[in-house]
Amino acid sequence: MKNYWDQGISFEEYLQIAQQRLDKPANQQEIEYKQYYELGLQRMDRTIKKYVPDEDQRKELESKNFDGKILIISEAWCGDASATVPALFKFFEGHNEIRVFLRDSDKNLINQFLTNGTESIPKVLILDKDFNVKNSWGPRPKYGYELLMKYKADPEGYPKDTFYNDLQVYYAKNRGKDAVQEILDLL
């Protein structure tokens, strides 16, 4: 796990790579995902500007005496990641080291943490100080998962566009608070 940590990047680098891929796509996938990079960057910018760590959650983090690290498997084109990753960086900033491992750079890591057989992201790995995986979380908070299950149970009655809209409205209003709490519960 230490090798993956060492290959991880800072949040600033994550944003820079996303902007580069938007401005100068290097391959067919980056060309096809251009609109998703653009949306992801807009959403991350909004979260960066609006997210304020919850004081009770900060106190809970302090009380847990967690001295490990947070490694997030992610890609900036992902809607769930663009809503969650910036909040996690801001929450753990100054308390625990946090890095991003780009999922598509080496699928071996995500393949160890599949969600129902899929490479869903973001996936948050909670590491102890010796780089052992203590726990994992992701790809979305419980409420987001419930919306997904509602869509999957009745795609005609609850169409994909409505699901995506409801999910993004939830993310915009919640501003990462649920994701942070669910991760705190795993520490």
Side-chain angles (χ1 to χ4, degrees), residues 143-151 158 163 166-167 170:
Y143 183 76
Y145 179 76
E146 289 169 0
L147 290 175
L148 175 64
M149 291 299 96
K150 179 179 173 184
Y151 159 68
Y158 187 61
F163 159 62
D166 290 352
L167 185 62
Y170 159 70

Side-chain angles (χ1 to χ4, degrees), residues 109-126:
L109 181 57
I110 192 65
N111 285 330
Q112 297 174 51
F113 299 94
L114 298 177
T115 302
N116 299 320
T118 67
E119 299 173 346
S120 299
I121 51 176
K123 198 65 151 184
V124 176
L125 308 181
I126 301 166

Side-chain angles (χ1 to χ4, degrees), residues 8-147:
I9 57 176
S10 71
F11 183 62
E12 291 75 24
E13 290 170 304
Y14 181 68
L15 291 174
Q16 288 169 356
I17 289 169
Q19 191 65 55
Q20 283 175 325
R21 290 177 177 176
L22 175 63
D23 295 341
K24 295 180 182 164
N27 57 46
Q28 190 60 37
Q29 181 182 353
E30 290 176 13
I31 291 168
E32 291 170 7
Y33 281 35
K34 189 171 175 133
Q35 67 184 9
Y36 302 112
Y37 281 110
E38 188 170 19
L39 263 175
L41 284 162
Q42 288 170 2
R43 290 172 178 155
M44 288 189 283
D45 186 56
R46 180 181 64 223
T47 301
I48 291 164
K49 289 177 180 169
K50 303 232 179 200
Y51 178 79
V52 177
D54 179 87
E55 206 47 50
D56 290 336
Q57 288 180 329
R58 280 280 196 182
K59 288 176 185 171
E60 184 176 346
L61 177 61
E62 302 275 333
S63 74
K64 292 191 177 254
N65 295 316
F66 173 64
D67 62 352
K69 302 171 185 329
I70 304 292
L71 181 61
I72 305 172
I73 306 168
S74 188
E75 289 288 344
W77 50 257
C78 172
D80 293 305
S82 63
T84 306
V85 172
L88 295 177
F89 265 92
K90 287 191 83 169
F91 180 77
F92 285 100
E93 189 175 52
H95 198 281
N96 296 90
E97 285 185 81
I98 183 168
R99 291 188 183 175
V100 173
F101 183 86
L102 296 174
R103 182 195 76 176
D104 296 340
S105 68
D106 179 350
K107 298 283 184 106
N108 289 314
L109 181 57
I110 192 65
N111 285 330
Q112 297 174 51
F113 299 94
L114 298 177
T115 302
N116 299 320
T118 67
E119 299 173 346
S120 299
I121 51 176
K123 198 65 151 184
V124 176
L125 308 181
I126 301 166
L127 308 175
D128 67 17
K129 61 185 176 185
D130 297 318
F131 300 96
N132 298 303
V133 178
K134 183 176 176 180
N135 222 323
S136 66
W137 175 92
R140 65 188 57 84
K142 183 179 178 224
Y143 183 76
Y145 179 76
E146 289 169 0
L147 290 175

